[in-house]
């Protein structure tokens, strides 16, 4: 019987909603991504809440809100307790993304769905893997191997290959086959005939411009606005596609010797760039080779100003400038406030580089024709003063008193319970310890003396009515208290855990000043909001820098991979149906596009069996070396030994078999092999084949 495989979408099918899917392989449950939308809609998580306690492992593919946004909430409120697997950049940059999102929300609302501590707690469970690393699961997942592979799209982006009994299940969403400035293209095309491929239809209906043409139009549009004395706002993510945009601008400004200022503004901008500088081995081959030869780091940005506070931008003189600010939805974050400031002037431009989520301000502005006016909510956190501050302090004092009273009641209750438990015990007097030697007590440093107790031993849970005494159990010698050096050694895991709790630096205690101020400021405050109608007079431009393969490329890649069974997720209903129809005709006959909470069985029709080779059979087997492996042809008869399928030598002479070619034959290797055997006459023939 083949490996049992079931797929159940929990969110993100027949729509552009966040990605979250349940994959079951022989009863072992994987959660594939755990995304959320910009509105933090808890209704989207209802399907996840019904299965979260059954999850055995979580696989994260990309470090953005659509793929990891709900992780802290699910762990805190939905009972998700499972190991999480991701690449190092997805872990680091994903953590920064969640920090930035939380701070953006917290600055304009009393956001309480999760806290920074919840984010830290969620990411402490992440097990980091490198590309192509085969990780063998244990216990319930015994026999399952997971491996991350290059997906493109975002730094650290992952195509997951899950293998059980020789059958591959591949999860590949938001991949990009194009090589970019900071990323290599996906390796998805290297997978041939997997048992199941789970992929998305997000871009199935879109076709892209050639990269050079797109980049040229992007730069020309920016320069046109700047030279007309206008400003450019690019709403961007925290540490994802913005990296490609930063490199494009940095390289062009350097080549053309431009002086227009560029600003990168997020709550964690400094830490984001610091970490990206250390991820060169995860980037494109050109960046890695450039660093090896010249030691120049591509992200040592000389023409881009990294700032973490909008006040720094406001202090800049009113000159043409480019600002890349989070969030891309324009719902919260610095981009929201800058849009409100600049939208009323025709000389400015808002340049979108990715499609906004449905219902967001960004999506509203991307329709054709764009609206002439939009309603926005402006919110600001201000300190409490006057009667509000007095009422807040009184409320906090009342809460403290109630907590203290409750604590005292609990102590008295525990003490009374302890006394009742000991009341019926027989009194025990230890004569040997009833008198303490004066010599012993005199030798104590500071002249401490033990209390003499005659005939009464208080229960361990009792509370002394007065003058409580705590025995000093430390050992002493002539030099003072004896210490254990091991107690003062800080273990590596303790340091990592402690640093992960520190915010803003975001993991390694590199505290961004603005973020730290927000966290450490305990001044009582409130959020005040007012609605505005903004007249949109600025230019609105959309250019596709999402870094995903387009429809034509997706169809070509799927035809090359040729999976036995294909599952389509994440994409509009129109795009999903279009790709489903195409793949049914040209890729494979078994194409599925399930609805939310619809479980489909994609178990392979092939049968795989575990067998053991008998010693008599193995003693006659001749192995041939093939790269790192040894292979052999076996003729055997199947039987059973202790209910285990076993292969034995054939009872009669086996028939001869034709030669089998394993692997790819390269003429250069064949020529070298012939030369090593002294066959010179065949060299010309081999080279001419």
């Amino acid at each position: 019987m083949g490996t049992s495989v079931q797929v159940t979408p929990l969110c993100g099918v027949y729509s552009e909603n966040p990605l979250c899917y349940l994959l079951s392989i022989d009863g072992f449950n994987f959660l594939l991504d755990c995304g959320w939308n910009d509105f933090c809609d808890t209704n989207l998580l209802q399907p996840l809440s019904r299965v979260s306690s059954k999850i055995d492992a979580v696989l994260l593919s990309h470090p953005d809100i659509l793929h990891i946004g709900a992780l802290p909430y699910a762990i805190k409120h939905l009972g998700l307790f499972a190991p999480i697997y991701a690449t190092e950049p997805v872990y680091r940059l994903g953590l920064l993304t969640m920090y930035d999102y939380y701070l953006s929300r917290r600055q304009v609302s009393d956001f309480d769905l999760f806290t920074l501590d919840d984010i830290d707690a969620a990411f402490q469970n992440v097990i980091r893997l490198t590309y192509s690393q085969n990780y063998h699961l244990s216990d319930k997942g015994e026999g399952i191997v997971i491996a991350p592979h290059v997906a493109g799209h975002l730094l650290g982006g992952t195509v997951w290959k899950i293998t059980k009994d020789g059958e591959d299940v591949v999860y590949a969403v938001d991949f990009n086959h194009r090589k970019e400035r900071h990323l290599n293209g996906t390796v998805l095309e290297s997978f041939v005939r997997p048992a199941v491929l789970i992929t998305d239809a997000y871009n199935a209906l879109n076709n892209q411009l050639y990269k050079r043409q797109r980049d040229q139009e992007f730069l020309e549009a920016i320069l046109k606005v700047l030279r007309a004395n206008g400003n450019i706002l690019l709403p961007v993510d925290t540490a994802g596609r913005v990296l490609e945009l930063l490199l494009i601008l940095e390289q062009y400004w350097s080549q053309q010797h431009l002086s227009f200022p560029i600003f990168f503004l997020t709550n964690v901008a400094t830490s984001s760039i610091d970490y990206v500088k250390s991820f060169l081995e995860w980037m494109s081959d050109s960046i890695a080779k450039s660093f090896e030869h010249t030691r120049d780091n591509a992200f040592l940005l000389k023409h881009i100003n990294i700032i973490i506070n909008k006040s720094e931008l406001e202090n800049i003189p009113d000159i043409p400038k480019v600002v890349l600010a989070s969030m891309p939805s324009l719902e919260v974050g610095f981009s929201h406030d800058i849009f409100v400031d600049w939208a009323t002037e025709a000389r400015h431009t808002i340049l979108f580089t990715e499609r906004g989520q449905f219902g967001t301000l960004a999506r509203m502005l991307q329709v054709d024709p764009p609206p002439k006016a939009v309603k926005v909510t402006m919110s600001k956190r201000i300190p409490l003063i006057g009667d509000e501050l007095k009422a807040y302090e009184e409320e906090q004092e009342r809460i403290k008193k109630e907590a203290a009273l409750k604590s005292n009641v609990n102590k008295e209750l525990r003490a009374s319970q302890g006394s009742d438990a000991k009341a019926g015990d027989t009194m025990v007097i230890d004569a040997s310890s009833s008198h303490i030697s004066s010599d012993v007590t005199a030798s104590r440093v500071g002249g401490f003396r033990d209390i003499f107790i005659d005939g009464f031993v208080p229960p361990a849970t009792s509370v002394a009515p007065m003058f409580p005494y705590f025995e000093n159990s430390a050992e002493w010698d002539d030099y003072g208290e004896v210490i254990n050096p091991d107690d003062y050694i800080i273990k590596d895991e303790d340091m990592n855990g402690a640093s992960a709790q520190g915010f803003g630096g975001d993991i390694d205690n590199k505290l961004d000043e603005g973020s730290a101020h927000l966290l450490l400021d305990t001044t009582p405050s409130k959020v005040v909001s007012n609605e505005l109608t903004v007249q949109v007079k600025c230019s609105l431009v959309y250019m596709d820098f999402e870094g995903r393969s387009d429809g034509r490329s997706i169809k070509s890649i799927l035809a090359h991979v040729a999976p036995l069974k294909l599952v389509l997720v994440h994409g509009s209903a129109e795009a999903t149906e279009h790709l489903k129809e195409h793949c049914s005709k040209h890729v494979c006959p078994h194409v599925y596009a399930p609805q939310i909470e619809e479980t489909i069985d994609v178990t392979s029709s092939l049968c795989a069996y575990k067998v053991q080779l008998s010693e008599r059979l193995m003693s006659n087997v001749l192995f041939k070396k093939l790269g790192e492996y040894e292979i052999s042809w076996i003729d055997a008869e199947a039987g059973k030994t202790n209910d285990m399928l076993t292969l034995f030598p054939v009872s009669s002479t086996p028939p001869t078999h034709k030669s089998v070619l394993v692997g790819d034959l390269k003429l250069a290797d064949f020529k070298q092999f012939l030369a090593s055997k002294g066959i010179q006459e065949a060299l010309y023939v081999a080279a001419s084949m």
Side-chain angles (χ1 to χ4, degrees):
M1 180 179 178
T3 302
S4 174
V5 182
Q6 290 84 34
V7 178
T8 307
L10 305 177
C11 185
V13 292
Y14 282 98
S15 70
E16 296 178 7
N17 283 334
L19 296 86
C20 187
Y21 314 101
L22 179 67
L23 170 67
S24 299
I25 299 180
D26 282 348
F28 189 90
N29 297 319
F30 288 98
L31 184 66
L32 305 177
D33 285 324
C34 189
W36 217 352
N37 64 359
D38 280 332
F39 299 107
C40 293
D41 184 1
T42 55
N43 291 326
L44 293 175
L45 304 182
Q46 290 302 315
L48 174 60
S49 66
R50 289 188 274 271
V51 299
S52 56
S53 60
K54 303 175 183 177
I55 302 298
D56 299 304
V58 182
L59 305 182
L60 302 179
S61 58
H62 296 284
D64 61 0
I65 298 297
L66 281 175
H67 296 84
I68 65 171
L71 195 60
Y73 182 89
I75 290 177
K76 180 180 182 180
H77 298 287
L78 304 184
L80 177 62
F81 298 105
I84 303 167
Y85 300 91
T87 60
E88 185 72 20
V90 169
Y91 162 68
R92 299 281 184 178
L93 301 182
L95 183 55
L96 292 175
T97 297
M98 295 306 301
Y99 282 159
D100 191 26
Y101 183 78
Y102 173 83
L103 290 173
S104 297
R105 281 285 178 191
R106 188 65 182 169
Q107 287 168 353
V108 296
S109 66
D110 295 321
F111 186 78
D112 59 357
L113 293 178
F114 54 82
T115 65
L116 292 171
D117 288 338
D118 298 329
I119 297 173
D120 289 333
F123 280 83
Q124 279 182 348
N125 297 327
V126 175
I127 299 171
R128 281 97 82 185
L129 306 178
T130 59
Y131 281 145
S132 302
Q133 176 185 348
N134 290 325
Y135 187 90
H136 296 260
L137 302 182
S138 56
D139 300 329
K140 185 179 178 181
E142 186 71 34
I144 299 177
V145 180
I146 61 175
H149 296 272
V150 178
H153 182 51
L154 301 181
L155 185 58
T158 305
V159 168
W160 286 101
K161 184 173 78 168
I162 308 160
T163 304
K164 176 75 182 290
D165 293 337
E167 294 189 5
D168 296 334
V169 177
V170 177
Y171 175 62
V173 293
D174 294 330
F175 56 84
N176 186 15
H177 69 289
R178 290 185 176 185
K179 183 177 181 180
E180 299 185 287
R181 282 172 174 80
H182 81 295
L183 292 177
N184 287 324
T186 184
V187 298
L188 178 59
E189 290 179 281
S190 65
F191 302 144
V192 180
R193 303 291 287 171
V196 181
L197 172 62
I198 305 170
T199 191
D200 66 291
Y202 187 79
N203 252 7
L205 297 176
N206 297 338
N207 291 317
Q208 300 168 344
L209 297 173
Y210 289 109
K211 177 183 173 184
R212 181 173 296 180
Q213 180 184 353
R214 180 201 62 182
D215 292 355
Q216 188 63 34
E217 291 182 1
F218 172 73
L219 294 168
E220 288 176 355
I222 290 177
L223 288 179
K224 181 180 178 181
V225 175
L226 294 175
R227 287 168 177 160
N229 202 37
N231 297 333
I232 290 275
L233 169 63
L234 285 81
V236 295
D237 51 19
T238 303
R241 293 302 304 168
V242 66
L243 301 179
E244 183 73 8
L245 299 175
L246 290 174
L247 280 189
I248 292 174
L249 295 173
E250 173 70 19
Q251 292 176 8
Y252 190 76
W253 254 240
S254 178
Q255 293 168 3
Q256 302 298 322
H257 305 290
L258 300 175
S259 59
F260 299 110
I262 305 173
F263 298 93
F264 177 39
L265 172 60
T266 74
N267 289 295
V268 292
T270 305
S271 299
S272 298
I273 298 302
D274 285 345
Y275 275 111
V276 169
K277 290 176 184 176
S278 65
F279 290 147
L280 298 185
E281 71 273 19
W282 297 85
M283 298 184 188
S284 64
D285 296 336
S286 58
I287 286 182
K289 289 178 181 178
S290 175
F291 181 75
E292 289 177 3
H293 295 148
T294 64
R295 312 308 291 177
D296 287 337
N297 193 311
F299 282 91
L300 287 173
L301 306 174
K302 300 176 182 178
H303 298 85
I304 297 174
N305 303 284
I306 301 172
I307 56 177
I308 56 175
N309 199 307
K310 186 170 177 279
S311 62
E312 298 180 54
L313 186 64
E314 293 169 346
N315 294 331
I316 304 298
D318 187 15
I319 58 176
K321 52 186 167 289
V322 180
V323 178
L324 299 92
S326 62
M327 296 286 177
S329 65
L330 292 182
E331 287 295 318
V332 293
F334 296 119
S335 63
H336 174 272
D337 297 342
I338 296 173
F339 165 76
V340 173
D341 293 341
W342 293 359
T344 55
E345 296 190 47
R347 62 190 177 100
H348 301 318
T349 295
I350 312 299
L351 200 164
F352 298 99
T353 57
E354 62 180 78
R355 280 168 285 177
Q357 297 177 27
F358 277 111
T360 63
L361 178 57
R363 192 62 170 249
M364 291 170 57
L365 295 171
Q366 291 172 13
V367 299
D368 188 20
K372 295 182 179 180
V374 292
K375 286 186 177 181
V376 299
T377 301
M378 293 297 295
S379 302
K380 186 179 181 181
R381 185 172 292 278
I382 61 174
L384 297 179
I385 57 174
D387 294 339
E388 288 182 328
L389 178 60
K390 184 178 179 181
Y392 173 83
E393 291 174 343
E394 290 176 352
E395 178 66 15
Q396 293 301 307
E397 188 65 26
R398 183 187 65 79
I399 293 174
K400 287 182 181 179
K401 288 181 179 180
E402 289 182 355
L405 180 62
K406 186 176 181 180
S407 177
N408 290 335
V409 170
N410 290 337
K411 282 184 179 180
E412 292 176 2
L413 182 61
R414 287 195 299 268
S416 62
Q417 289 174 347
S419 299
D420 294 342
K422 292 287 184 177
D425 293 349
T426 305
M427 184 179 295
V428 178
I429 302 175
D430 186 355
S432 63
S433 61
S434 60
H435 295 81
I436 308 298
S437 170
S438 60
D439 294 334
V440 173
T441 56
S443 65
R444 300 273 183 165
V445 174
F448 291 123
R449 292 177 179 274
D450 291 335
I451 295 177
F452 173 72
I453 301 176
D454 187 10
F456 173 72
V457 178
T461 58
S462 66
V463 179
M466 60 186 302
F467 305 124
Y469 171 76
F470 303 97
E471 181 180 3
N472 186 352
S473 58
E475 297 182 6
W476 299 80
D477 59 15
D478 294 339
Y479 300 98
E481 183 179 350
V482 177
I483 66 172
N484 181 8
D486 293 338
D487 294 339
Y488 298 89
I489 296 176
I490 301 177
K491 300 178 181 179
D492 291 339
E493 56 266 28
D494 295 336
M495 292 184 67
N496 292 336
S499 62
Q501 294 291 338
F503 169 73
D506 306 332
I507 317 167
D508 286 340
N509 292 333
K510 302 173 187 173
L511 207 62
D512 282 350
E513 183 181 350
S515 304
H517 175 74
L518 181 66
L519 290 173
L520 301 177
D521 185 7
T522 57
T523 304
S525 61
K526 67 176 182 179
V527 174
V528 293
S529 303
N530 63 299
E531 273 200 359
L532 298 176
T533 299
V534 177
Q535 301 298 322
V536 183
K537 298 180 180 179
C538 65
S539 299
L540 302 172
V541 180
Y542 170 73
M543 293 187 179
D544 186 356
F545 278 86
E546 292 180 340
R548 295 182 174 96
S549 293
D550 62 0
R552 182 174 58 251
S553 302
I554 290 173
K555 295 169 185 175
S556 174
I557 292 171
L558 294 181
H560 179 79
V561 175
L564 299 179
K565 295 186 179 181
L566 177 64
V567 181
L568 298 178
V569 297
H570 195 235
S572 66
E574 185 182 3
T576 302
E577 287 298 328
H578 171 80
L579 189 58
K580 180 181 179 182
E581 182 180 353
H582 170 85
C583 292
S584 298
K585 295 178 180 178
H586 303 98
V587 177
C588 66
H590 304 288
V591 181
Y592 306 88
Q595 300 284 350
I596 297 293
E597 294 190 279
E598 176 189 354
T599 300
I600 57 170
D601 191 334
V602 287
T603 300
S604 173
S605 57
L606 300 176
C607 293
Y609 300 93
K610 291 183 179 179
V611 299
Q612 64 180 4
L613 307 182
S614 64
E615 292 184 6
R616 287 192 295 124
L617 177 65
M618 291 299 296
S619 62
N620 297 320
V621 172
L622 298 177
F623 285 96
K624 296 290 185 180
K625 189 77 172 177
L626 178 65
E628 300 178 357
Y629 304 96
E630 291 184 345
I631 62 175
S632 178
W633 178 285
I634 294 179
D635 290 296
E637 295 177 349
K640 280 193 174 182
T641 303
N642 299 327
D643 294 330
M644 181 66 182
L645 198 61
T646 307
L647 297 183
F648 299 97
V650 292
S651 55
S652 59
T653 303
T656 58
H657 62 82
K658 296 180 179 179
S659 298
V660 177
L661 180 62
V662 180
D664 297 324
L665 176 63
K666 296 181 180 179
L667 291 181
D669 295 338
F670 185 48
K671 177 180 177 181
Q672 186 178 359
F673 173 77
L674 293 177
S676 66
K677 300 298 182 180
I679 306 176
Q680 301 296 327
E681 292 78 1
L683 289 179
Y684 176 78
V685 177
S688 304
M689 288 175 62

